Amino acid sequence: MVCTAAAFNYQPDPETLGATFRAVAAVLPPGGVFVFDIETAALLKGHWGNRMWAGDQGDLAFIWDFTSEPDTTYCDLHYTQFTREGDGTYTGTREVHRLYAIEDDDIRAQAHAAGFPDARVYENYSPRPVSESTRYATWVLTRAGEE
């Protein structure tokens, strides 16, 4: 089973993460593998922190405005998108996303408690180990064997 695009960064706390891991474990066979990626604190709190990024792709333009308070574990992404319509006008949409930086120890502890004794983490879908500067971490959890 695979879950990409940093979906797990929407988990606000270790308990919610644990509940999600238990739900995944319930549908995986013994020995089954679950792979997911996550944006790290180095990316959310460090790189993005309080930064804006904008782009114009012709028929689509966007603004990503990241805000983060120093003593929090999250980063808010204010996303604005302008899409060109057939008549040449643009339609704007806005969204706010709260993305949480989850500590590796919390991920590992919740994975183990949910029945994933083998929890490995790598740098961005590579065989390289994570470091303090890793921005995207890929987790590979293996469910416990025969029950």
Side-chain angles (χ1 to χ4, degrees), residues 53-142:
W53 179 42
D56 184 348
Q57 306 297 313
D59 288 340
L60 179 127
F62 63 89
I63 302 168
W64 290 8
D65 184 12
F66 293 88
T67 58
S68 181
E69 297 300 321
D71 295 328
T72 64
T73 61
Y74 60 84
C75 180
D76 286 331
L77 163 58
H78 302 262
Y79 178 77
T80 306
Q81 175 176 302
F82 302 96
T83 306
R84 187 186 323 230
E85 302 298 332
D87 63 1
T89 62
Y90 284 84
T91 301
T93 58
R94 291 191 172 97
E95 301 174 0
V96 177
H97 297 260
R98 179 159 285 176
L99 304 170
Y100 294 87
I102 305 169
E103 297 293 328
D104 287 356
D105 289 345
D106 288 332
I107 294 171
R108 190 169 276 107
Q110 292 300 324
H112 288 178
F116 294 98
D118 185 15
R120 300 175 191 207
V121 61
Y122 303 96
E123 179 151 349
N124 199 20
Y125 293 96
S126 78
R128 293 185 308 275
V130 295
S131 69
E132 289 295 317
S133 64
T134 296
R135 293 180 179 177
Y136 297 95
T138 304
W139 283 84
V140 180
L141 307 183
T142 303

Side-chain angles (χ1 to χ4, degrees), residues 16 27 34 44 64 86 93:
T16 305
V27 299
F34 176 48
L44 293 175
W64 290 8
T93 58

Side-chain angles (χ1 to χ4, degrees), residues 3-16:
C3 180
T4 63
F8 274 64
N9 286 104
Y10 290 91
Q11 304 287 315
D13 53 56
E15 294 75 25
T16 305

